[in-house]
Structure formats: C-alpha cells, structure tokens
Amino acid sequence: TDFHWTSQWIIRSKHQSPELDYIAMKESGCSDLEIGIESFSQDVRWHMGKKFTDEDMWWCLDMLSKYNISASLLLISGYPTETEEDHINTLEKIKLIYQNGYNNQFHLSFSLMLLDHWSPLWNIVKDDITNYKNIREWTYKDNTPEVRIRRYTEILETIKTRKNTDIT
C-alpha cells in the first residue's frame, strides 16, 4: 500500500489484541508505533497502573516483528518503587531485545524519572520520600539520585555494548 500511518499503541493481551489485529494494522499501512511500556519490570508497571504482563509485552513485540511494524518503546528509569532487582530485570530484557533481533525494528527510548511534587504520583509516594530538593533530587527508600544515575548509565552502556557487537 502507498498509504502509511503511525500511531500510539497500548499493549494488550493476546485475547484483547489477537494476531488478526496486527494483520489488519499492517494491511492498512501501519508502519510505526510509539508504545509506552514505561518499565520492563511488571511490578513497576503494576504500580504505575499499566496492567499488562511480560507475556502480553512479548506477544505484542513478536507480532509487530512478524508483521514488520517498527516501534519506539518508551521507558522510564528510576521510578520511585524500582528496586535493584527491577533494574537487573530491565538490563536482561534489553539483552533479550537484541538476542531476539528486535533491535533493528524497535527503538529503545529511556528517560530518567522526574518526580514533581504536584503530580498524582507524589500523593502515592510522598510519605516515603526524603531529601526532596527538586524533580531530579529526591530519595525514595533506597532509590537515591546516585542510584538512579548509576542505573540509567548502566542501561545506556548495555544498549551501547549490544549495538557495538555482532554477538546477539
């Protein structure tokens, strides 16, 4: 088709978005999507109100890959409830993206978490926030500015390392 379109997409289960949906998207000219995955940690996503499972996420990525639809995967590093285990999980999922060959089709876009004391999230986590100076400098339990910067740097290094190697 000569007509192409792009859109934003919400990950849904296989039951809610069966393969026929992806076929119809491709046949109608869908070429690129922006998907707010937000976190590769299912626990963090649940806290955010993003109620899709890892299985749902991989189903979506598999279908997009199968039907050659590109996507920008939007993610946040340093969400207040993110633990070291969640971070390690993120690094492992980045590696899986490359191992599955998805890196040629999907763009990983990570942002560092900013916490505004006017946001709805603030009302959820405020009782456990200490040392709040501004949207970048705050502490939630063990999640300090230094920890968030280290994790973000490790994410970028993992992506850079995977991009610069032929080993998938």
mmCIF file with all atom_site columns, all heavy atoms in Angstrom, residues 121-135:
data_model
loop_
_atom_site.group_PDB
_atom_site.id
_atom_site.type_symbol
_atom_site.label_atom_id
_atom_site.label_alt_id
_atom_site.label_comp_id
_atom_site.label_asym_id
_atom_site.label_entity_id
_atom_site.label_seq_id
_atom_site.pdbx_PDB_ins_code
_atom_site.Cartn_x
_atom_site.Cartn_y
_atom_site.Cartn_z
_atom_site.occupancy
_atom_site.B_iso_or_equiv
_atom_site.pdbx_formal_charge
_atom_site.auth_seq_id
_atom_site.auth_comp_id
_atom_site.auth_asym_id
_atom_site.auth_atom_id
_atom_site.pdbx_PDB_model_num
ATOM 1   N N   . LEU A 1 121 ? 1.446  10.976 41.210 1.00 0.00 ? 121 LEU A N   1
ATOM 2   C CA  . LEU A 1 121 ? 2.348  10.003 41.806 1.00 0.00 ? 121 LEU A CA  1
ATOM 3   C C   . LEU A 1 121 ? 2.864  10.493 43.158 1.00 0.00 ? 121 LEU A C   1
ATOM 4   O O   . LEU A 1 121 ? 3.016  9.709  44.089 1.00 0.00 ? 121 LEU A O   1
ATOM 5   C CB  . LEU A 1 121 ? 3.516  9.707  40.859 1.00 0.00 ? 121 LEU A CB  1
ATOM 6   C CG  . LEU A 1 121 ? 4.606  8.785  41.396 1.00 0.00 ? 121 LEU A CG  1
ATOM 7   C CD1 . LEU A 1 121 ? 4.044  7.415  41.777 1.00 0.00 ? 121 LEU A CD1 1
ATOM 8   C CD2 . LEU A 1 121 ? 5.730  8.647  40.379 1.00 0.00 ? 121 LEU A CD2 1
ATOM 9   N N   . TRP A 1 122 ? 3.124  11.775 43.262 1.00 0.00 ? 122 TRP A N   1
ATOM 10  C CA  . TRP A 1 122 ? 3.623  12.342 44.516 1.00 0.00 ? 122 TRP A CA  1
ATOM 11  C C   . TRP A 1 122 ? 2.714  11.960 45.682 1.00 0.00 ? 122 TRP A C   1
ATOM 12  O O   . TRP A 1 122 ? 3.187  11.578 46.746 1.00 0.00 ? 122 TRP A O   1
ATOM 13  C CB  . TRP A 1 122 ? 3.739  13.863 44.413 1.00 0.00 ? 122 TRP A CB  1
ATOM 14  C CG  . TRP A 1 122 ? 4.149  14.490 45.707 1.00 0.00 ? 122 TRP A CG  1
ATOM 15  C CD1 . TRP A 1 122 ? 3.327  15.038 46.649 1.00 0.00 ? 122 TRP A CD1 1
ATOM 16  C CD2 . TRP A 1 122 ? 5.472  14.596 46.227 1.00 0.00 ? 122 TRP A CD2 1
ATOM 17  N NE1 . TRP A 1 122 ? 4.061  15.482 47.719 1.00 0.00 ? 122 TRP A NE1 1
ATOM 18  C CE2 . TRP A 1 122 ? 5.378  15.222 47.483 1.00 0.00 ? 122 TRP A CE2 1
ATOM 19  C CE3 . TRP A 1 122 ? 6.723  14.221 45.748 1.00 0.00 ? 122 TRP A CE3 1
ATOM 20  C CZ2 . TRP A 1 122 ? 6.490  15.484 48.258 1.00 0.00 ? 122 TRP A CZ2 1
ATOM 21  C CZ3 . TRP A 1 122 ? 7.838  14.497 46.524 1.00 0.00 ? 122 TRP A CZ3 1
ATOM 22  C CH2 . TRP A 1 122 ? 7.714  15.115 47.763 1.00 0.00 ? 122 TRP A CH2 1
ATOM 23  N N   . ASN A 1 123 ? 1.411  12.046 45.474 1.00 0.00 ? 123 ASN A N   1
ATOM 24  C CA  . ASN A 1 123 ? 0.471  11.732 46.552 1.00 0.00 ? 123 ASN A CA  1
ATOM 25  C C   . ASN A 1 123 ? 0.530  10.264 46.963 1.00 0.00 ? 123 ASN A C   1
ATOM 26  O O   . ASN A 1 123 ? 0.197  9.928  48.093 1.00 0.00 ? 123 ASN A O   1
ATOM 27  C CB  . ASN A 1 123 ? -0.955 12.097 46.141 1.00 0.00 ? 123 ASN A CB  1
ATOM 28  C CG  . ASN A 1 123 ? -1.122 13.602 46.030 1.00 0.00 ? 123 ASN A CG  1
ATOM 29  O OD1 . ASN A 1 123 ? -0.549 14.360 46.803 1.00 0.00 ? 123 ASN A OD1 1
ATOM 30  N ND2 . ASN A 1 123 ? -1.870 14.032 45.046 1.00 0.00 ? 123 ASN A ND2 1
ATOM 31  N N   . ILE A 1 124 ? 0.979  9.413  46.080 1.00 0.00 ? 124 ILE A N   1
ATOM 32  C CA  . ILE A 1 124 ? 1.090  7.987  46.377 1.00 0.00 ? 124 ILE A CA  1
ATOM 33  C C   . ILE A 1 124 ? 2.371  7.681  47.148 1.00 0.00 ? 124 ILE A C   1
ATOM 34  O O   . ILE A 1 124 ? 2.375  6.869  48.067 1.00 0.00 ? 124 ILE A O   1
ATOM 35  C CB  . ILE A 1 124 ? 1.042  7.163  45.075 1.00 0.00 ? 124 ILE A CB  1
ATOM 36  C CG1 . ILE A 1 124 ? -0.327 7.344  44.402 1.00 0.00 ? 124 ILE A CG1 1
ATOM 37  C CG2 . ILE A 1 124 ? 1.329  5.686  45.335 1.00 0.00 ? 124 ILE A CG2 1
ATOM 38  C CD1 . ILE A 1 124 ? -0.391 6.803  42.986 1.00 0.00 ? 124 ILE A CD1 1
ATOM 39  N N   . VAL A 1 125 ? 3.473  8.355  46.810 1.00 0.00 ? 125 VAL A N   1
ATOM 40  C CA  . VAL A 1 125 ? 4.780  8.007  47.377 1.00 0.00 ? 125 VAL A CA  1
ATOM 41  C C   . VAL A 1 125 ? 5.302  9.015  48.404 1.00 0.00 ? 125 VAL A C   1
ATOM 42  O O   . VAL A 1 125 ? 6.318  8.769  49.033 1.00 0.00 ? 125 VAL A O   1
ATOM 43  C CB  . VAL A 1 125 ? 5.840  7.817  46.254 1.00 0.00 ? 125 VAL A CB  1
ATOM 44  C CG1 . VAL A 1 125 ? 5.438  6.694  45.321 1.00 0.00 ? 125 VAL A CG1 1
ATOM 45  C CG2 . VAL A 1 125 ? 6.094  9.110  45.492 1.00 0.00 ? 125 VAL A CG2 1
ATOM 46  N N   . LYS A 1 126 ? 4.609  10.123 48.596 1.00 0.00 ? 126 LYS A N   1
ATOM 47  C CA  . LYS A 1 126 ? 5.148  11.235 49.396 1.00 0.00 ? 126 LYS A CA  1
ATOM 48  C C   . LYS A 1 126 ? 5.557  10.849 50.814 1.00 0.00 ? 126 LYS A C   1
ATOM 49  O O   . LYS A 1 126 ? 6.517  11.402 51.349 1.00 0.00 ? 126 LYS A O   1
ATOM 50  C CB  . LYS A 1 126 ? 4.157  12.397 49.434 1.00 0.00 ? 126 LYS A CB  1
ATOM 51  C CG  . LYS A 1 126 ? 2.891  12.104 50.191 1.00 0.00 ? 126 LYS A CG  1
ATOM 52  C CD  . LYS A 1 126 ? 1.953  13.284 50.162 1.00 0.00 ? 126 LYS A CD  1
ATOM 53  C CE  . LYS A 1 126 ? 0.671  12.938 50.892 1.00 0.00 ? 126 LYS A CE  1
ATOM 54  N NZ  . LYS A 1 126 ? -0.300 13.998 50.798 1.00 0.00 ? 126 LYS A NZ  1
ATOM 55  N N   . ASP A 1 127 ? 4.881  9.900  51.428 1.00 0.00 ? 127 ASP A N   1
ATOM 56  C CA  . ASP A 1 127 ? 5.211  9.532  52.808 1.00 0.00 ? 127 ASP A CA  1
ATOM 57  C C   . ASP A 1 127 ? 6.558  8.832  52.921 1.00 0.00 ? 127 ASP A C   1
ATOM 58  O O   . ASP A 1 127 ? 7.140  8.786  54.008 1.00 0.00 ? 127 ASP A O   1
ATOM 59  C CB  . ASP A 1 127 ? 4.106  8.652  53.403 1.00 0.00 ? 127 ASP A CB  1
ATOM 60  C CG  . ASP A 1 127 ? 2.802  9.419  53.595 1.00 0.00 ? 127 ASP A CG  1
ATOM 61  O OD1 . ASP A 1 127 ? 2.837  10.669 53.656 1.00 0.00 ? 127 ASP A OD1 1
ATOM 62  O OD2 . ASP A 1 127 ? 1.742  8.763  53.665 1.00 0.00 ? 127 ASP A OD2 1
ATOM 63  N N   . ASP A 1 128 ? 7.057  8.300  51.810 1.00 0.00 ? 128 ASP A N   1
ATOM 64  C CA  . ASP A 1 128 ? 8.351  7.621  51.811 1.00 0.00 ? 128 ASP A CA  1
ATOM 65  C C   . ASP A 1 128 ? 9.440  8.413  51.090 1.00 0.00 ? 128 ASP A C   1
ATOM 66  O O   . ASP A 1 128 ? 10.544 7.909  50.906 1.00 0.00 ? 128 ASP A O   1
ATOM 67  C CB  . ASP A 1 128 ? 8.210  6.230  51.176 1.00 0.00 ? 128 ASP A CB  1
ATOM 68  C CG  . ASP A 1 128 ? 7.391  5.288  52.050 1.00 0.00 ? 128 ASP A CG  1
ATOM 69  O OD1 . ASP A 1 128 ? 7.635  5.240  53.265 1.00 0.00 ? 128 ASP A OD1 1
ATOM 70  O OD2 . ASP A 1 128 ? 6.501  4.619  51.503 1.00 0.00 ? 128 ASP A OD2 1
ATOM 71  N N   . ILE A 1 129 ? 9.128  9.630  50.674 1.00 0.00 ? 129 ILE A N   1
ATOM 72  C CA  . ILE A 1 129 ? 10.124 10.486 50.018 1.00 0.00 ? 129 ILE A CA  1
ATOM 73  C C   . ILE A 1 129 ? 10.892 11.264 51.093 1.00 0.00 ? 129 ILE A C   1
ATOM 74  O O   . ILE A 1 129 ? 10.296 11.855 51.989 1.00 0.00 ? 129 ILE A O   1
ATOM 75  C CB  . ILE A 1 129 ? 9.458  11.487 49.047 1.00 0.00 ? 129 ILE A CB  1
ATOM 76  C CG1 . ILE A 1 129 ? 8.796  10.752 47.891 1.00 0.00 ? 129 ILE A CG1 1
ATOM 77  C CG2 . ILE A 1 129 ? 10.438 12.543 48.554 1.00 0.00 ? 129 ILE A CG2 1
ATOM 78  C CD1 . ILE A 1 129 ? 9.767  10.141 46.893 1.00 0.00 ? 129 ILE A CD1 1
ATOM 79  N N   . THR A 1 130 ? 12.206 11.234 50.953 1.00 0.00 ? 130 THR A N   1
ATOM 80  C CA  . THR A 1 130 ? 13.042 12.037 51.845 1.00 0.00 ? 130 THR A CA  1
ATOM 81  C C   . THR A 1 130 ? 13.992 12.861 50.980 1.00 0.00 ? 130 THR A C   1
ATOM 82  O O   . THR A 1 130 ? 14.213 12.554 49.807 1.00 0.00 ? 130 THR A O   1
ATOM 83  C CB  . THR A 1 130 ? 13.868 11.149 52.796 1.00 0.00 ? 130 THR A CB  1
ATOM 84  O OG1 . THR A 1 130 ? 14.661 10.242 52.031 1.00 0.00 ? 130 THR A OG1 1
ATOM 85  C CG2 . THR A 1 130 ? 12.947 10.366 53.740 1.00 0.00 ? 130 THR A CG2 1
ATOM 86  N N   . ASN A 1 131 ? 14.540 13.900 51.551 1.00 0.00 ? 131 ASN A N   1
ATOM 87  C CA  . ASN A 1 131 ? 15.534 14.734 50.882 1.00 0.00 ? 131 ASN A CA  1
ATOM 88  C C   . ASN A 1 131 ? 15.051 15.278 49.544 1.00 0.00 ? 131 ASN A C   1
ATOM 89  O O   . ASN A 1 131 ? 15.813 15.322 48.576 1.00 0.00 ? 131 ASN A O   1
ATOM 90  C CB  . ASN A 1 131 ? 16.852 13.970 50.680 1.00 0.00 ? 131 ASN A CB  1
ATOM 91  C CG  . ASN A 1 131 ? 17.414 13.442 51.972 1.00 0.00 ? 131 ASN A CG  1
ATOM 92  O OD1 . ASN A 1 131 ? 17.333 14.114 53.003 1.00 0.00 ? 131 ASN A OD1 1
ATOM 93  N ND2 . ASN A 1 131 ? 17.957 12.258 51.943 1.00 0.00 ? 131 ASN A ND2 1
ATOM 94  N N   . TYR A 1 132 ? 13.787 15.677 49.472 1.00 0.00 ? 132 TYR A N   1
ATOM 95  C CA  . TYR A 1 132 ? 13.281 16.225 48.209 1.00 0.00 ? 132 TYR A CA  1
ATOM 96  C C   . TYR A 1 132 ? 13.829 17.638 48.030 1.00 0.00 ? 132 TYR A C   1
ATOM 97  O O   . TYR A 1 132 ? 13.547 18.529 48.826 1.00 0.00 ? 132 TYR A O   1
ATOM 98  C CB  . TYR A 1 132 ? 11.747 16.249 48.183 1.00 0.00 ? 132 TYR A CB  1
ATOM 99  C CG  . TYR A 1 132 ? 11.203 16.676 46.836 1.00 0.00 ? 132 TYR A CG  1
ATOM 100 C CD1 . TYR A 1 132 ? 10.984 15.735 45.842 1.00 0.00 ? 132 TYR A CD1 1
ATOM 101 C CD2 . TYR A 1 132 ? 10.938 18.015 46.540 1.00 0.00 ? 132 TYR A CD2 1
ATOM 102 C CE1 . TYR A 1 132 ? 10.502 16.099 44.597 1.00 0.00 ? 132 TYR A CE1 1
ATOM 103 C CE2 . TYR A 1 132 ? 10.465 18.392 45.296 1.00 0.00 ? 132 TYR A CE2 1
ATOM 104 C CZ  . TYR A 1 132 ? 10.240 17.429 44.326 1.00 0.00 ? 132 TYR A CZ  1
ATOM 105 O OH  . TYR A 1 132 ? 9.775  17.798 43.092 1.00 0.00 ? 132 TYR A OH  1
ATOM 106 N N   . LYS A 1 133 ? 14.616 17.838 46.969 1.00 0.00 ? 133 LYS A N   1
ATOM 107 C CA  . LYS A 1 133 ? 15.147 19.157 46.639 1.00 0.00 ? 133 LYS A CA  1
ATOM 108 C C   . LYS A 1 133 ? 14.476 19.707 45.397 1.00 0.00 ? 133 LYS A C   1
ATOM 109 O O   . LYS A 1 133 ? 14.182 20.890 45.312 1.00 0.00 ? 133 LYS A O   1
ATOM 110 C CB  . LYS A 1 133 ? 16.658 19.091 46.442 1.00 0.00 ? 133 LYS A CB  1
ATOM 111 C CG  . LYS A 1 133 ? 17.410 18.748 47.704 1.00 0.00 ? 133 LYS A CG  1
ATOM 112 C CD  . LYS A 1 133 ? 18.908 18.708 47.465 1.00 0.00 ? 133 LYS A CD  1
ATOM 113 C CE  . LYS A 1 133 ? 19.607 18.263 48.736 1.00 0.00 ? 133 LYS A CE  1
ATOM 114 N NZ  . LYS A 1 133 ? 21.006 17.976 48.511 1.00 0.00 ? 133 LYS A NZ  1
ATOM 115 N N   . ASN A 1 134 ? 14.288 18.841 44.401 1.00 0.00 ? 134 ASN A N   1
ATOM 116 C CA  . ASN A 1 134 ? 13.636 19.236 43.149 1.00 0.00 ? 134 ASN A CA  1
ATOM 117 C C   . ASN A 1 134 ? 13.231 17.974 42.401 1.00 0.00 ? 134 ASN A C   1
ATOM 118 O O   . ASN A 1 134 ? 13.400 16.869 42.922 1.00 0.00 ? 134 ASN A O   1
ATOM 119 C CB  . ASN A 1 134 ? 14.558 20.125 42.309 1.00 0.00 ? 134 ASN A CB  1
ATOM 120 C CG  . ASN A 1 134 ? 15.894 19.473 41.996 1.00 0.00 ? 134 ASN A CG  1
ATOM 121 O OD1 . ASN A 1 134 ? 15.944 18.350 41.510 1.00 0.00 ? 134 ASN A OD1 1
ATOM 122 N ND2 . ASN A 1 134 ? 16.989 20.180 42.286 1.00 0.00 ? 134 ASN A ND2 1
ATOM 123 N N   . ILE A 1 135 ? 12.739 18.120 41.197 1.00 0.00 ? 135 ILE A N   1
ATOM 124 C CA  . ILE A 1 135 ? 12.212 16.964 40.455 1.00 0.00 ? 135 ILE A CA  1
ATOM 125 C C   . ILE A 1 135 ? 13.263 15.896 40.160 1.00 0.00 ? 135 ILE A C   1
ATOM 126 O O   . ILE A 1 135 ? 12.920 14.741 39.947 1.00 0.00 ? 135 ILE A O   1
ATOM 127 C CB  . ILE A 1 135 ? 11.512 17.406 39.144 1.00 0.00 ? 135 ILE A CB  1
ATOM 128 C CG1 . ILE A 1 135 ? 12.482 18.108 38.195 1.00 0.00 ? 135 ILE A CG1 1
ATOM 129 C CG2 . ILE A 1 135 ? 10.305 18.241 39.437 1.00 0.00 ? 135 ILE A CG2 1
ATOM 130 C CD1 . ILE A 1 135 ? 11.884 18.464 36.845 1.00 0.00 ? 135 ILE A CD1 1
#
